[in-house]
Amino acid sequence: MDTKLPNPVRPAFEKADREDAVIVNIGPSHPATHGTVQVIAELDGEKVVRADVHCGYLHRGFEKECESHTWHNLIPYVDRLNYCSPLINDFAYCEAVEKLLEIEITPRCRYLRTLLAEYSRVADHLTCVAASLMEMGAMTAFLYLVTIRDFIYEHTAALTGARVTHSYGRIGGLARDLPEGWLGRLEEILDQYEVFVGRIHGLMDRNRIFIDRTRDVAVLSSAEAIHWGYTGPILRSTGLPRDLRKDVPYLAYGELDFEVPVGIKGDNYDRYYVRMREMDESVYMIRQLMDMLAPGPINVDDHRCVLPEKHLVYSEIESLINHFKLIMDGPKVPAGEVYSAHEAANGELGFYIVSTGEGTPYKVHVRSPSFVHMGGLHRLFEGYQLADVIPTFGSVNMIGGECDR
Amino acid sequence: MSPSEVLDRVQERLAPLVSESSFSHAMLVLVLPPDRLLDLVQVLKVEFQFDLFLDVTAVDWPGQQPRFEVVYHFYSTQHRVRLRVKTRVPEEDPGVASLVSLYGSAAYMERECHDMYGIAFRGNPDLRPILLYEGFVGHPLRKDYPKDREQPLVPYRT
């Protein structure tokens, strides 16, 4: 085989500015990082002078593929955007389509979606904190956090049938209601969560090594964060309490009591701490939602998008045809365009969808927080040590699935 | 000021610049010719605090003139409200002014839109491929790009 392969990337700079500086390539597949991102850095000794960040190694034509599948068939695809919190993607996408259909979901569905979105946020933040701590050598902390995350995965598998890619949202509702005993197990896991996360606070918060590696590293001001399009925990770590759940309440967030934790100066330590505090708030919200859940239907009664019940499909011709048309042609979504955004674990996750009235979308565009964050990442690298690239990248929680689409 | 008051003022102030303004699913949509884009966004950012550049993408309408619709979304962290700006560019000259002078985040998102639709953002100094790779031919999200066309960078093993 030909050993000379073309370079997929043209670096922004190929020569160092100074004679004693060197250019180093990190990634896309590097043992010290997670996620396929490539950083081309100019180093002065150990200090990063310039950085050029490239993503796209996981690009799989998500948006193109969406244009040739029915609205329902996209749900498993949107799951695979942020695979740490797939339910948030599901619900954000379904809500966008529901806005075009002008559907209002049932109260039980609204509470359940909110509960599961917060549950997913906990799993996502656990993953982020665990991975970035492990990359700094804190193996125990990693194992504690991943233990809880695995409880959550097993528990959501009991509800949805899959550990990671749940495909649980439906346009106009949800795939199925809670199984027997699910909320009881949820309470047990939340109690376990408190024990394990308490240990992480004990291990990390005042840990000299951890503080030295994260305090005053990759500092970001609020103005700069907004300029570079940062949203979510990274923006809040700079001290700005901007959270879509509070600012433009959707689902059931308007009825919940919660705080928006913020950092002091937007460094790696603040990003760690904001995520830890946000998980506590999510658990607090989940407990409120467990009390608010009332029995009732989970799907709206709307034949345009919700599948008829199976026993009706087998017993009456109207339901059979309804089922057939929904599966083969897809739900006919009224023509129009809508942008709908949710506060995902990483920031503003927006779906811009365009319909021409067909059973398949004309266009689906994802405003993915990770991709936008990659655009400003060089600002967090420049001026700091080469070794800081690893914890900084971990604290940003770039998810290749949603970044590269 | 409540979000609806802000949007009313935006509509009033920008009426001379835009060719159409309307509400679509509770979001203000401003439509304007591409040459006025930079002036309008400048006003939005400076006078109405639309400080967060959320997103830019395009919609391809083959057969229509002009063919491409470039769609922007902005958010004001102060007023907590979003709005959409749309402009049309023709296939022969799919160019529009870049917003990098106003928002740093525009740089990456314009690169993606350039990759996918071939929209030329004038003034963006760095339109290298970002999700695609060097040497990729065509713009995959255009409707006339076949979904199953393959351009492997590394030859397939047989």
Side-chain angles (χ1 to χ4, degrees), chain A residues 365-379:
Chain A
H365 175 72
V366 185
R367 190 267 178 208
S368 79
S370 288
F371 179 73
V372 182
H373 293 170
M374 288 302 105
L377 192 60
H378 60 283
R379 299 298 291 247

Side-chain angles (χ1 to χ4, degrees), chain A residues 10 53 55 242 337 362-363, chain B residues 60 77 86 108 128 130:
Chain A
R10 178 159 42 99
V53 181
C55 53
R242 279 290 151 267
E337 52 181 346
Y362 190 74
K363 176 186 171 66
Chain B
D60 182 8
T77 55
K86 295 205 288 190
Y108 238 54
R128 290 174 296 151
I130 178 71

Side-chain angles (χ1 to χ4, degrees), chain A residues 116-365:
Chain A
L116 290 166
E118 288 314 306
Y119 205 29
S120 302
R121 189 182 317 279
V122 174
D124 193 293
H125 284 353
L126 284 171
T127 314
C128 168
V129 174
S132 42
L133 290 181
M134 180 187 66
E135 283 159 2
M136 283 183 270
M139 197 66 193
T140 312
F142 170 77
L143 289 173
Y144 280 159
L145 291 166
V146 169
T147 305
I148 294 296
R149 188 185 75 152
D150 214 55
F151 289 164
I152 297 178
Y153 275 8
E154 292 289 326
H155 193 220
T156 40
L159 170 66
T160 64
R163 272 169 59 84
V164 184
T165 47
H166 307 305
S167 309
Y168 180 67
R170 290 290 181 274
I171 298 160
L174 297 166
R176 58 187 75 80
D177 209 336
L178 298 179
E180 198 73 24
W182 198 82
L183 290 175
R185 175 70 183 139
L186 178 59
E187 257 169 69
E188 283 171 27
I189 291 176
L190 296 185
D191 291 342
Q192 286 283 304
Y193 159 88
E194 276 166 2
V195 175
F196 279 81
V197 164
R199 290 179 190 162
I200 303 301
H201 280 299
L203 280 169
M204 308 309 305
D205 289 1
R206 285 150 61 83
N207 182 320
R208 185 79 256 164
I209 304 167
F210 179 63
I211 292 172
D212 284 350
R213 293 239 24 213
T214 55
R215 221 357 147 201
D216 294 316
V217 172
V219 180
L220 192 66
S221 70
S222 298
E224 221 179 354
I226 287 182
H227 182 67
W228 288 101
Y230 284 103
T231 48
I234 304 178
L235 179 59
R236 291 192 283 277
S237 76
T238 66
L240 199 65
R242 279 290 151 267
D243 189 321
L244 295 180
R245 293 172 293 173
K246 268 275 195 256
D247 298 345
V248 275
Y250 55 94
L251 290 176
Y253 289 109
E255 301 164 47
L256 296 173
D257 173 37
F258 65 101
E259 282 176 1
V260 177
V262 294
I264 306 162
K265 51 173 127 168
D267 58 8
N268 281 344
Y269 189 89
D270 280 350
R271 285 190 278 275
Y272 153 80
Y273 213 89
V274 164
R275 283 204 164 84
M276 292 292 276
R277 280 284 294 113
E278 266 184 32
M279 287 194 286
D280 295 343
E281 291 300 321
S282 294
V283 169
Y284 178 47
M285 278 188 255
I286 292 171
R287 290 202 164 117
Q288 294 172 50
L289 285 158
M290 283 159 80
D291 295 333
M292 290 166 143
L293 265 185
I298 51 162
N299 284 319
V300 290
D301 184 18
D302 192 326
H303 298 306
R304 289 179 302 164
C305 59
V306 176
L307 290 176
E309 286 190 45
K310 208 71 179 175
H311 70 91
L312 293 176
V313 176
Y314 289 130
S315 58
E316 53 176 57
I317 188 72
E318 292 81 5
S319 297
L320 178 69
I321 293 173
N322 186 203
H323 187 276
F324 180 81
K325 292 298 253 183
L326 279 180
I327 298 293
M328 301 308 290
D329 301 343
K332 297 272 181 289
V333 174
E337 52 181 346
V338 73
Y339 177 89
S340 167
H342 277 192
E343 181 74 36
N346 274 334
E348 172 158 348
L349 172 73
F351 281 91
Y352 172 64
I353 57 177
V354 180
S355 172
T356 49
E358 300 293 316
T360 53
Y362 190 74
K363 176 186 171 66
V364 175
H365 175 72

Side-chain angles (χ1 to χ4, degrees), chain A residues 59-69 74 77 361-365 405, chain B residues 60 116-117 139-149:
Chain A
H59 181 65
R60 55 212 183 279
F62 168 81
E63 290 176 13
K64 186 77 175 174
E65 199 65 40
C66 285
E67 293 171 8
S68 51
H69 291 264
L74 302 191
Y77 288 165
Y362 190 74
K363 176 186 171 66
V364 175
H365 175 72
R405 283 158 287 154
Chain B
D60 182 8
M116 296 297 164
Y117 287 96
H139 304 287
L141 280 182
R142 288 188 175 186
K143 291 284 179 185
D144 52 12
Y145 188 96
K147 193 180 83 173
D148 50 5
R149 180 179 291 166

Side-chain angles (χ1 to χ4, degrees), chain B residues 64-68 89-95 122 142:
Chain B
Q64 291 187 15
Q65 286 300 333
R67 178 174 165 184
F68 297 105
V89 292
E91 186 178 355
E92 313 79 58
D93 175 31
R122 296 195 193 98
R142 288 188 175 186

